[in-house]
Amino acid sequence: MEGLPDIEDFASGGVDVDAAVRRKHTGVERFVKKGRKASLRSDGENVEPCVSSGRDAPPGSGAFLPGTQSIWVRTFGCAHNQSDSEYMLGQLQENGYRLVEDADKDSADLWLINTCTVKGPSQSAMSTVLSQGKDLDKKLVVSGCVPQGDRHNKELQEYSIVGVAQIDRVVEVVEETLKGNKVRLYGKKTLPRLDLPKVRRNKHVEIVPLSTGCLGRCTYCKTKHARGQLGSYDKDALVARVKEVVKDPQVREIWLSSEDTGAYGRDIDTSLPDLLRSLVDVLPSDGRTMLRVGMTNPPFILEHLEAIADILSHPCVFSYLHVPVQAGSNAVLDKMKREYTVEEFEQVCDTLLRLTPNMDIATDIICGFPGETDADFEETMQLVEKYKFAHCHISQFYSRPGTLAAKMKKVPSQVVKQRSRKISALVDGFDKIYDEMVGTIVRVCVVDTAADRRSLVGHTKNYTQVLLEPEADLMGSVVDVKITSASRWSVKAEVVKRVFVPEKPPAPEKKPLKETTTMSDKTNARGLGSEGLKMQKMGENGKANLGVSLGALVGLMGMLALGLAVLFRESFFKTEEEL
């Protein structure tokens, strides 16, 4: 069964220490008394002095020069996690680190694993990657919700940690880890800035986090342990970010991400509708950049339904919303502490479907929650049948350590699997959903490549997936297409008219680092970049000499930087006692 376009929609889901590791002269010294235990500062930072050899550079590398190494980043989980990874990638690249793709991960000097704690399988996948990294003798840094949600996780005690509120300090952690030290930053502080350097995984999609944490208290959710209570970004900061993003002619979609988008602003005396109205005002009026509102739980949009419907009807906003119901039984919802009833969920669906043309609502179902009876499950089946959700993510219940649900009596696993298969078959059977689109002409934003690695993917106003034959300069365009066929999960179409095609940026002789770049556009800040490498490969004497001269210049600059770092290192960093 195919699920939603990104796992962000499934996720119902440290404090400022000047330096966790001190450096002196050309090596690294710890100003930590022997036998001193980890301490918890009053501001929440868990400072764990971890003495390690780390005094010398990696064997055979000569003097350690930070910012010359290669980094591979693996991200698990939601769009919020993906955005965090993109910000960390941006900071690393700005500081000269070379970012490598998945195919070249074995050549990377360090692996950064950004983790997800929503389900057991995602955490197991993290463990697999860490094991692979250890086998390859890689330097390893772990970030995200797994370490943040469980600081005492035995599996992670040997690794450096970047807490979810510490992503703006990833460069420090990476540098020290490469030198053989262990740094663990967990603490809570102000939200990371939205204008940090960023490397988009998909240059046509910008992910904007609205907040962190939530107001819920779901009994099965581990994410709350990591992200905590709701903390919303200031509306003006979000508007400024979107204003900056829409200047990029390549960006077709802006995803608003959060653990619960509907709760935005309740902690800072504003609301989601107020924010959305302000964001819509700064979008290009021609519709070349579309806004996608992220997952919202029912309780926090009930009072705003008409306003939300009006915004979702705007030409520059996708008529699409993910509202997870999790169960169609009030008895189960009560055990989950979801804080709404089935009837209130239906009110959300009925109002949005009535007031928003061609509205598409996505949802989530958890099968086999503790205490779910056959009768409860049948109520869930009836709810899904009633609305025939085009996108319905179905998950078996996974017990997460430390949650209330983990202490509840479980439904037998064979029953859970049977229910999961039954409701999946129901959803798979909604194979006529898109039939009425055949023959119509619709406008789509082309933003990705399909799973077949050939077809291009575009999205309609209600976020239906449209598959297109690859054509030159089609990626990143806005086009009118005619739907030629429909299947359960997508439609196929042919291009009728190109409405907007982004101009190709001129190829500069020296590519400067941008605040926002993409993996495909990245250039090593300390090297020649792809164009420089191509020049060297041409074999012309003049160009070869140019490469040598530039290489010598880079080496000279590196030596100068190292000397300055040694000169000022001792005065810049505080000792453990000064913390």
Side-chain angles (χ1 to χ4, degrees), residues 124-144:
S124 297
M126 171 207 75
S127 299
T128 299
V129 175
L130 288 174
S131 179
Q132 293 171 349
K134 287 183 66 175
D135 290 343
L136 293 172
D137 199 27
K138 299 297 181 183
K139 301 292 186 182
L140 297 168
V141 175
V142 183
S143 64

Side-chain angles (χ1 to χ4, degrees), residues 71-318:
I71 313 291
W72 176 64
V73 177
R74 174 67 187 274
T75 306
F76 294 98
C78 65
H80 196 165
N81 251 25
Q82 185 175 333
S83 177
D84 284 353
S85 287
E86 292 178 351
Y87 275 124
M88 289 190 285
L89 285 163
Q91 294 169 83
L92 290 167
Q93 179 173 272
E94 186 179 67
N95 281 269
Y97 291 99
R98 182 168 57 87
L99 310 178
V100 303
E101 303 284 358
D102 292 349
D104 300 318
K105 66 179 183 179
D106 288 356
S107 67
D109 297 302
L110 179 143
W111 288 6
L112 170 60
I113 316 301
N114 196 7
T115 63
C116 172
T117 192
V118 172
K119 301 177 186 177
S122 60
Q123 187 163 338
S124 297
M126 171 207 75
S127 299
T128 299
V129 175
L130 288 174
S131 179
Q132 293 171 349
K134 287 183 66 175
D135 290 343
L136 293 172
D137 199 27
K138 299 297 181 183
K139 301 292 186 182
L140 297 168
V141 175
V142 183
S143 64
C145 291
V146 172
Q148 189 73 56
D150 185 3
R151 301 186 185 190
H152 304 294
N153 186 316
K154 293 181 180 179
E155 180 184 9
L156 303 181
Q157 294 307 303
E158 61 184 294
Y159 305 117
S160 289
I161 302 295
V162 180
V164 296
Q166 297 280 5
I167 62 171
D168 53 354
R169 303 193 55 203
V170 65
V171 174
E172 300 172 48
V173 178
V174 164
E175 177 180 336
E176 294 304 332
T177 304
L178 283 166
K179 295 171 73 173
N181 298 299
K182 181 171 68 171
V183 184
R184 303 171 71 82
L185 302 182
Y186 284 107
K188 303 291 184 182
K189 61 185 182 79
T190 56
L191 295 171
R193 300 191 340 260
L194 291 171
D195 61 351
L196 291 170
K198 193 171 189 179
V199 172
R200 298 190 195 103
R201 286 291 190 177
N202 182 336
K203 67 181 178 181
H204 307 299
V205 176
E206 167 74 13
I207 304 171
V208 178
L210 302 187
S211 60
T212 189
C214 70
L215 296 175
R217 52 193 183 101
C218 301
T219 57
Y220 57 84
C221 182
K222 185 75 172 178
T223 304
K224 181 66 176 277
H225 296 191
R227 297 283 182 177
Q229 283 294 105
L230 177 68
S232 301
Y233 278 99
D234 180 76
K235 183 174 74 171
D236 290 342
L238 290 165
V239 172
R241 178 61 189 171
V242 170
K243 271 186 177 180
E244 188 64 29
V245 167
V246 297
K247 294 177 183 178
D248 187 338
Q250 294 291 338
V251 175
R252 298 283 72 79
E253 297 181 7
I254 299 175
W255 297 357
L256 304 181
S257 176
S258 173
E259 279 66 58
D260 187 353
T261 301
Y264 169 79
R266 287 176 177 259
D267 57 325
I268 57 172
D269 197 29
T270 186
S271 68
L272 180 63
D274 287 343
L275 171 66
L276 294 178
R277 293 188 189 101
S278 298
L279 295 181
V280 166
D281 286 344
V282 301
L283 294 176
S285 59
D286 60 6
R288 67 174 180 265
T289 304
M290 297 288 290
L291 196 68
R292 196 186 85 169
V293 182
M295 182 273 287
T296 177
N297 288 308
F300 301 113
I301 60 167
L302 278 168
E303 64 187 270
H304 301 303
L305 284 178
E306 291 190 3
I308 294 295
D310 182 61
I311 293 165
L312 294 175
S313 300
H314 190 280
C316 297
V317 181
F318 286 113

